[in-house]
Structure formats: C-alpha cells, structure tokens
Amino acid sequence: MKIDVVNLEAKNVGSIELADEVFGVEVRRDILARMVNYQLAKRRSGNHKSKQIWEVSGTTKKPYNQKGTGRARQGSLRSAQFRGGGVIFGPVVRSHAHELTKKVRLLALRVALSAKAADGKLVVLDKASAETPKTKALVQVLTNLKLSNALFIDGAEVNVNFALASRNIPFIDVLPSQGANVYDILRRDTLVLTTDAVQALEARLK
C-alpha cells in the first residue's frame, strides 16, 4: 500500500510504502472490542469498598434478650438490616485487569492501524516538530492540515515543543511510537504518523 507523505504546510513531499501485514490486515471488530475492554479494565482503580459487619464501629453487645420480647432475635446492631450496619457481599478493593495474550494484543494494534488506513483516516507526515511551544502557531498548522480531532504518533521520542504546543488543544493527542495503543487510535478521528513512526511500528508489528 502506497500513501502520500505531507509536511506541516500540507504540501506533498513524496510517498511511502506501507507494509500490508501491518496496515492491510482484515478489520475485525471483535478483536478491537476485546482489546479496548482489556485496556479500560486495566485502567480501573478498583478501590471501591464497603464495610462488612466486622469493620463497622459499634458495640458488640447483644441488643436484647434472645427470647421473651416478641421481636425477631438479633445478635448485633452492626448487622446489615440495621441503619449504619455492614454491607453483605459489598464491593471490595480488587484489580479489574484480565489476561489477553500478546498475540491478540499485537493483532489488535495491526487491525486498528488497518482500520484507519481502510477508512482514509491515515495521514503520514515527514516530521512532527515545532520551533516554539506556541499553541497558536500549532492551531494554524492543524487548520492547514484540516485536522481537528487527531492522534499524532512520532518516533522513539516526541518533539518537546510540538508536545507542549498541543497540550492545550482539545481532541489532539501526541504519543511516541512505543505508546501507540488501540484505544487512543480509535478514540480519535484521524491517525497521523510520522515516517519515523511508520518505521518503528512496522519493526514492532511485522
């Protein structure tokens, strides 16, 4: 697959050949769904917690006699049926993460890249750099490129000025090639790769 390479002035500066085994695989929604669920599950803090009976502060004394009152027998005011009592089978602190094989994770990244290429939502830049960390200047660049909702993926390191200039622009994200992931690729309308990013991703996924 061949695609044009543009610069930050939106001018065509050549073309690049994309590997079919990375950018031309079959788009599988089931694989993408599994990977997104995996990423979001790992992200959950899992710090929800409710107190069980033994954790509730209060007396351990039996409220009243077992027999002779005509009321239901009770052993503790900290039981779940009383106001302020413990919670039965309530949430506990835990990890929501689950396993997903490396083979599936790599396939999901290939599918996400291929989906953007198939939809015509893939742009290749010669480089993503800025002379100054000025947001206003980068906004003008994005306007020229007709990008309002995009993920930029650079090589091993992101240009510092470009990253700083983009931080305050809504719906624009910047990542190094090692940080490329399915969720961030899918949540943005357009995927913008530098030529360095293309080489790094192909080396990682071939």
Side-chain angles (χ1 to χ4, degrees):
M1 178 192 302
K2 211 165 200 177
I3 189 170
D4 291 335
V5 178
V6 298
N7 60 17
L8 292 176
E9 286 76 41
K11 295 178 181 177
N12 195 326
V13 292
S15 62
I16 189 171
E17 189 75 32
L18 301 179
D20 288 337
E21 55 264 49
V22 178
F23 294 92
V25 303
E26 177 190 357
V27 177
R28 291 184 53 183
R29 295 171 65 91
D30 60 320
I31 294 293
L32 295 178
R34 287 178 65 186
M35 188 61 191
V36 169
N37 287 337
Y38 167 80
Q39 284 188 243
L40 295 183
K42 282 191 72 174
R43 183 181 295 188
R44 292 180 66 176
S45 61
N47 60 355
H48 38 27
K49 178 73 171 70
S50 63
K51 288 186 178 181
Q52 300 182 37
I53 293 174
W54 60 273
E55 295 173 301
V56 175
S57 177
T59 181
T60 59
K61 185 177 182 295
K62 190 174 175 64
Y64 45 80
N65 291 338
Q66 179 88 344
K67 296 180 180 295
T69 64
R71 300 175 65 185
R73 57 193 175 188
Q74 302 293 346
S76 172
L77 285 173
R78 297 183 297 168
S79 298
Q81 63 268 34
F82 292 112
R83 177 188 287 270
V87 177
I88 305 301
F89 303 128
V92 295
V93 176
R94 68 184 181 91
S95 170
H96 291 270
H98 57 267
E99 293 297 323
L100 196 62
T101 62
K102 185 177 181 180
K103 186 177 181 180
V104 174
R105 298 199 304 268
L106 292 176
L107 174 60
L109 189 50
R110 292 189 197 101
V111 171
L113 294 171
S114 300
K116 288 298 183 184
D119 291 342
K121 298 290 187 179
L122 177 63
V123 176
V124 178
L125 279 178
D126 59 344
K127 60 181 180 178
S129 61
E131 294 181 1
T132 59
K134 295 292 185 181
T135 300
K136 184 177 180 180
L138 184 57
V139 168
Q140 185 58 50
V141 168
L142 296 176
T143 302
N144 294 338
L145 290 169
K146 298 179 180 178
L147 297 174
S148 58
N149 188 321
L151 168 66
F152 286 80
I153 299 180
D154 207 341
E157 293 184 2
V158 175
N159 179 265
V160 175
N161 285 340
F162 191 89
L164 290 173
S166 68
R167 282 197 306 185
N168 206 32
I169 305 176
F171 311 118
I172 298 296
D173 297 325
V174 179
L175 291 174
S177 59
Q178 196 59 37
N181 65 89
V182 173
Y183 179 68
D184 283 325
I185 289 173
L186 296 181
R187 71 195 288 258
R188 294 294 173 229
D189 182 58
T190 307
L191 174 62
V192 183
L193 303 177
T194 63
T195 52
D196 290 341
V198 171
Q199 294 174 2
L201 289 171
E202 288 184 349
R204 173 179 169 188
L205 297 173
K206 269 186 178 179

